[in-house]
Amino acid sequence: MRATTIHAPFDMRVEEVPDARVREPGDVVVRVVRACICGSDLWAYRGEAERQPGQRIGHEFLGVVEEAGAEVSAFAPGDLVVAPFVWSDGTCRFCAEGLQTSCPRGGFWGSPGSDGGQGEAVRVPFADATLVGLPAAALSDERLLTALLALSDVLGTGHHAALGAGVTKGSTVAVVGDGAVGLCGVLAARRLGAERIVALGRHRVRTDIARTFGATDVVAARGDEAVAAVRELTGGHGAHAVIEAVGTEQSMRTAVGITRDGGAIGYVGVPHGSGTGLDLGVMFGRNIALRGGVAPVRAYIPELLPDVLDGTVDPSPVFDMTVDLDGVPEGYRAMDGRSALKVLVKP
């Protein structure tokens, strides 16, 4: 089969690789129908996250089950399924607690020895626990299929950030980051009943999507200027709940600066750089809480799926460029150059 591999910074290739196949009785093979490129993939693309030459890549996909192992009971060939970005066994204590990302037998798609989502097919371990079934009718609905793909990562990650930030009905929320996760954080905050949502971003196309998703205000500034603008919008106090969806030192400093005393920051931006942007003295004195991390999206899919199916939540606008498998390297270039927000892949 064909799949995307990474060989060095900025060196993405679509190559022939061994076919995905059932190895264990709990495995299935999924033929990928839709995949995408994540903003976190760009750290490997730029050489800021180490990868082995020839390693697979891509952790967001949905598709059709092609083959099922003897112990698979929840799925059969022909079923449409979505995969969270981590597989998990469903039997450990962490899985029982809804923290599938810490499953001792779990793993990330594209890690050494595993298939990546940006390819023609994927072997899925622990299929019964990992995958979530989707209505077959979605295959004929392009918008819905695209929206469902967001369940594999960005929608659940935005939801995780909103929960970490303590978004409640009537609260004021600020979102740092105008990437796909930040925009899905806006969606999540609206879904949880936030009354006011301030989106921080400087790219008009993206902030227009934020407004469509429920943002009531947009701040097109960074650093101290952004902090001052958010505080002015909130009567000098800041936001009750702040979503941090970037992962840089500056973005975290901004998040702390715009949080209301007694408020909380939900952080899901993959950290990179030498500093954290956190001043524990400031956070201590102002009673600011910090919660977040890798989103256990498998725990959230059952809750979010009905709203995506009925159109209450529609994250599909975050996908603004579409490529076939051969076009994946160009998709990386487009996202790296910020001419695309999030690239949809149709193998």
mmCIF file of all heavy atoms in Angstrom, residues 291-316:
data_model
loop_
_atom_site.group_PDB
_atom_site.id
_atom_site.type_symbol
_atom_site.label_atom_id
_atom_site.label_comp_id
_atom_site.label_asym_id
_atom_site.label_seq_id
_atom_site.Cartn_x
_atom_site.Cartn_y
_atom_site.Cartn_z
ATOM 1 N N ARG A 291 -4.999 23.436 33.993
ATOM 2 C CA ARG A 291 -5.392 22.047 33.738
ATOM 3 C C ARG A 291 -5.316 21.786 32.237
ATOM 4 O O ARG A 291 -5.583 22.682 31.441
ATOM 5 C CB ARG A 291 -6.822 21.774 34.201
ATOM 6 C CG ARG A 291 -7.147 22.196 35.620
ATOM 7 C CD ARG A 291 -8.575 21.820 35.990
ATOM 8 N NE ARG A 291 -8.993 22.461 37.229
ATOM 9 C CZ ARG A 291 -9.667 23.602 37.288
ATOM 10 N NH1 ARG A 291 -10.006 24.229 36.165
ATOM 11 N NH2 ARG A 291 -10.000 24.124 38.451
ATOM 12 N N GLY A 292 -4.987 20.552 31.864
ATOM 13 C CA GLY A 292 -4.971 20.237 30.439
ATOM 14 C C GLY A 292 -4.002 19.117 30.143
ATOM 15 O O GLY A 292 -3.760 18.241 30.970
ATOM 16 N N GLY A 293 -3.448 19.148 28.950
ATOM 17 C CA GLY A 293 -2.532 18.106 28.512
ATOM 18 C C GLY A 293 -3.068 17.406 27.280
ATOM 19 O O GLY A 293 -3.929 17.944 26.554
ATOM 20 N N VAL A 294 -2.566 16.208 27.040
ATOM 21 C CA VAL A 294 -2.996 15.438 25.871
ATOM 22 C C VAL A 294 -4.462 15.043 26.054
ATOM 23 O O VAL A 294 -4.838 14.450 27.066
ATOM 24 C CB VAL A 294 -2.133 14.174 25.707
ATOM 25 C CG1 VAL A 294 -2.545 13.414 24.453
ATOM 26 C CG2 VAL A 294 -0.653 14.542 25.643
ATOM 27 N N ALA A 295 -5.279 15.358 25.091
ATOM 28 C CA ALA A 295 -6.721 15.137 25.225
ATOM 29 C C ALA A 295 -7.083 13.664 25.041
ATOM 30 O O ALA A 295 -6.734 13.064 24.021
ATOM 31 C CB ALA A 295 -7.473 15.974 24.201
ATOM 32 N N PRO A 296 -7.792 13.064 25.991
ATOM 33 C CA PRO A 296 -8.271 11.692 25.810
ATOM 34 C C PRO A 296 -9.537 11.695 24.948
ATOM 35 O O PRO A 296 -10.655 11.478 25.432
ATOM 36 C CB PRO A 296 -8.568 11.244 27.250
ATOM 37 C CG PRO A 296 -8.959 12.500 27.944
ATOM 38 C CD PRO A 296 -8.148 13.604 27.317
ATOM 39 N N VAL A 297 -9.361 11.936 23.663
ATOM 40 C CA VAL A 297 -10.530 12.155 22.807
ATOM 41 C C VAL A 297 -11.437 10.934 22.719
ATOM 42 O O VAL A 297 -12.642 11.075 22.477
ATOM 43 C CB VAL A 297 -10.114 12.630 21.394
ATOM 44 C CG1 VAL A 297 -9.392 13.958 21.466
ATOM 45 C CG2 VAL A 297 -9.274 11.607 20.679
ATOM 46 N N ARG A 298 -10.881 9.722 22.951
ATOM 47 C CA ARG A 298 -11.754 8.536 22.927
ATOM 48 C C ARG A 298 -12.858 8.648 23.972
ATOM 49 O O ARG A 298 -13.979 8.153 23.772
ATOM 50 C CB ARG A 298 -10.927 7.265 23.161
ATOM 51 C CG ARG A 298 -11.752 5.974 23.178
ATOM 52 C CD ARG A 298 -12.502 5.775 21.869
ATOM 53 N NE ARG A 298 -13.330 4.586 21.864
ATOM 54 C CZ ARG A 298 -14.567 4.522 22.359
ATOM 55 N NH1 ARG A 298 -15.092 5.587 22.944
ATOM 56 N NH2 ARG A 298 -15.272 3.418 22.287
ATOM 57 N N ALA A 299 -12.559 9.300 25.096
ATOM 58 C CA ALA A 299 -13.557 9.462 26.146
ATOM 59 C C ALA A 299 -14.639 10.465 25.746
ATOM 60 O O ALA A 299 -15.767 10.401 26.248
ATOM 61 C CB ALA A 299 -12.884 9.916 27.440
ATOM 62 N N TYR A 300 -14.313 11.377 24.844
ATOM 63 C CA TYR A 300 -15.242 12.453 24.489
ATOM 64 C C TYR A 300 -16.086 12.151 23.249
ATOM 65 O O TYR A 300 -17.134 12.765 23.050
ATOM 66 C CB TYR A 300 -14.475 13.757 24.252
ATOM 67 C CG TYR A 300 -13.675 14.251 25.428
ATOM 68 C CD1 TYR A 300 -12.394 14.777 25.240
ATOM 69 C CD2 TYR A 300 -14.173 14.195 26.722
ATOM 70 C CE1 TYR A 300 -11.647 15.253 26.312
ATOM 71 C CE2 TYR A 300 -13.431 14.663 27.802
ATOM 72 C CZ TYR A 300 -12.169 15.190 27.593
ATOM 73 O OH TYR A 300 -11.431 15.656 28.657
ATOM 74 N N ILE A 301 -15.631 11.255 22.384
ATOM 75 C CA ILE A 301 -16.339 11.026 21.118
ATOM 76 C C ILE A 301 -17.800 10.650 21.331
ATOM 77 O O ILE A 301 -18.684 11.222 20.656
ATOM 78 C CB ILE A 301 -15.606 9.980 20.253
ATOM 79 C CG1 ILE A 301 -14.261 10.538 19.758
ATOM 80 C CG2 ILE A 301 -16.462 9.595 19.043
ATOM 81 C CD1 ILE A 301 -13.418 9.526 18.993
ATOM 82 N N PRO A 302 -18.143 9.734 22.240
ATOM 83 C CA PRO A 302 -19.558 9.393 22.402
ATOM 84 C C PRO A 302 -20.431 10.588 22.789
ATOM 85 O O PRO A 302 -21.599 10.654 22.399
ATOM 86 C CB PRO A 302 -19.535 8.336 23.518
ATOM 87 C CG PRO A 302 -18.177 7.718 23.419
ATOM 88 C CD PRO A 302 -17.272 8.852 23.062
ATOM 89 N N GLU A 303 -19.865 11.518 23.560
ATOM 90 C CA GLU A 303 -20.617 12.710 23.966
ATOM 91 C C GLU A 303 -20.770 13.707 22.822
ATOM 92 O O GLU A 303 -21.835 14.321 22.652
ATOM 93 C CB GLU A 303 -19.903 13.380 25.144
ATOM 94 C CG GLU A 303 -20.527 14.696 25.585
ATOM 95 C CD GLU A 303 -19.723 15.401 26.658
ATOM 96 O OE1 GLU A 303 -18.765 14.797 27.203
ATOM 97 O OE2 GLU A 303 -20.041 16.559 26.962
ATOM 98 N N LEU A 304 -19.724 13.873 22.020
ATOM 99 C CA LEU A 304 -19.722 14.881 20.959
ATOM 100 C C LEU A 304 -20.386 14.398 19.675
ATOM 101 O O LEU A 304 -20.920 15.204 18.903
ATOM 102 C CB LEU A 304 -18.288 15.310 20.649
ATOM 103 C CG LEU A 304 -17.518 15.975 21.806
ATOM 104 C CD1 LEU A 304 -16.055 16.156 21.427
ATOM 105 C CD2 LEU A 304 -18.150 17.310 22.175
ATOM 106 N N LEU A 305 -20.355 13.084 19.433
ATOM 107 C CA LEU A 305 -20.854 12.531 18.177
ATOM 108 C C LEU A 305 -22.299 12.923 17.865
ATOM 109 O O LEU A 305 -22.587 13.340 16.733
ATOM 110 C CB LEU A 305 -20.692 11.012 18.185
ATOM 111 C CG LEU A 305 -21.220 10.246 16.970
ATOM 112 C CD1 LEU A 305 -20.582 10.744 15.685
ATOM 113 C CD2 LEU A 305 -20.978 8.739 17.140
ATOM 114 N N PRO A 306 -23.255 12.816 18.802
ATOM 115 C CA PRO A 306 -24.635 13.179 18.455
ATOM 116 C C PRO A 306 -24.789 14.616 17.977
ATOM 117 O O PRO A 306 -25.570 14.888 17.053
ATOM 118 C CB PRO A 306 -25.404 12.941 19.765
ATOM 119 C CG PRO A 306 -24.591 11.926 20.501
ATOM 120 C CD PRO A 306 -23.165 12.268 20.172
ATOM 121 N N ASP A 307 -24.028 15.543 18.562
ATOM 122 C CA ASP A 307 -24.125 16.949 18.151
ATOM 123 C C ASP A 307 -23.536 17.180 16.764
ATOM 124 O O ASP A 307 -23.988 18.066 16.032
ATOM 125 C CB ASP A 307 -23.417 17.841 19.165
ATOM 126 C CG ASP A 307 -24.212 18.013 20.454
ATOM 127 O OD1 ASP A 307 -25.373 17.542 20.495
ATOM 128 O OD2 ASP A 307 -23.688 18.605 21.406
ATOM 129 N N VAL A 308 -22.521 16.393 16.408
ATOM 130 C CA VAL A 308 -21.972 16.497 15.058
ATOM 131 C C VAL A 308 -22.954 15.902 14.049
ATOM 132 O O VAL A 308 -23.182 16.464 12.970
ATOM 133 C CB VAL A 308 -20.594 15.793 14.963
ATOM 134 C CG1 VAL A 308 -20.079 15.821 13.516
ATOM 135 C CG2 VAL A 308 -19.587 16.472 15.884
ATOM 136 N N LEU A 309 -23.553 14.774 14.398
ATOM 137 C CA LEU A 309 -24.493 14.119 13.481
ATOM 138 C C LEU A 309 -25.718 14.979 13.201
ATOM 139 O O LEU A 309 -26.220 15.005 12.068
ATOM 140 C CB LEU A 309 -24.923 12.767 14.056
ATOM 141 C CG LEU A 309 -23.857 11.663 14.067
ATOM 142 C CD1 LEU A 309 -24.383 10.436 14.792
ATOM 143 C CD2 LEU A 309 -23.426 11.305 12.642
ATOM 144 N N ASP A 310 -26.212 15.701 14.207
ATOM 145 C CA ASP A 310 -27.427 16.510 13.968
ATOM 146 C C ASP A 310 -27.115 17.942 13.547
ATOM 147 O O ASP A 310 -28.023 18.742 13.341
ATOM 148 C CB ASP A 310 -28.356 16.486 15.187
ATOM 149 C CG ASP A 310 -27.796 17.221 16.407
ATOM 150 O OD1 ASP A 310 -26.829 17.987 16.270
ATOM 151 O OD2 ASP A 310 -28.352 17.018 17.512
ATOM 152 N N GLY A 311 -25.827 18.270 13.415
ATOM 153 C CA GLY A 311 -25.446 19.592 12.928
ATOM 154 C C GLY A 311 -25.378 20.668 13.980
ATOM 155 O O GLY A 311 -25.071 21.820 13.674
ATOM 156 N N THR A 312 -25.637 20.324 15.233
ATOM 157 C CA THR A 312 -25.522 21.311 16.312
ATOM 158 C C THR A 312 -24.106 21.854 16.398
ATOM 159 O O THR A 312 -23.881 23.038 16.664
ATOM 160 C CB THR A 312 -25.927 20.681 17.659
ATOM 161 O OG1 THR A 312 -27.264 20.195 17.566
ATOM 162 C CG2 THR A 312 -25.824 21.687 18.791
ATOM 163 N N VAL A 313 -23.143 20.978 16.182
ATOM 164 C CA VAL A 313 -21.729 21.352 16.146
ATOM 165 C C VAL A 313 -21.184 20.953 14.783
ATOM 166 O O VAL A 313 -21.292 19.793 14.380
ATOM 167 C CB VAL A 313 -20.942 20.639 17.264
ATOM 168 C CG1 VAL A 313 -19.449 20.905 17.114
ATOM 169 C CG2 VAL A 313 -21.426 21.083 18.632
ATOM 170 N N ASP A 314 -20.617 21.911 14.071
ATOM 171 C CA ASP A 314 -20.069 21.630 12.743
ATOM 172 C C ASP A 314 -18.653 22.183 12.627
ATOM 173 O O ASP A 314 -18.460 23.360 12.314
ATOM 174 C CB ASP A 314 -20.955 22.236 11.653
ATOM 175 C CG ASP A 314 -20.405 21.978 10.252
ATOM 176 O OD1 ASP A 314 -19.499 21.124 10.112
ATOM 177 O OD2 ASP A 314 -20.867 22.636 9.298
ATOM 178 N N PRO A 315 -17.639 21.344 12.878
ATOM 179 C CA PRO A 315 -16.258 21.808 12.770
ATOM 180 C C PRO A 315 -15.685 21.760 11.360
ATOM 181 O O PRO A 315 -14.512 22.092 11.154
ATOM 182 C CB PRO A 315 -15.507 20.823 13.681
ATOM 183 C CG PRO A 315 -16.295 19.557 13.559
ATOM 184 C CD PRO A 315 -17.732 19.960 13.371
ATOM 185 N N SER A 316 -16.477 21.366 10.364
ATOM 186 C CA SER A 316 -15.934 21.161 9.019
ATOM 187 C C SER A 316 -15.248 22.389 8.418
ATOM 188 O O SER A 316 -14.320 22.219 7.621
ATOM 189 C CB SER A 316 -17.025 20.649 8.069
ATOM 190 O OG SER A 316 -18.065 21.585 7.915
#
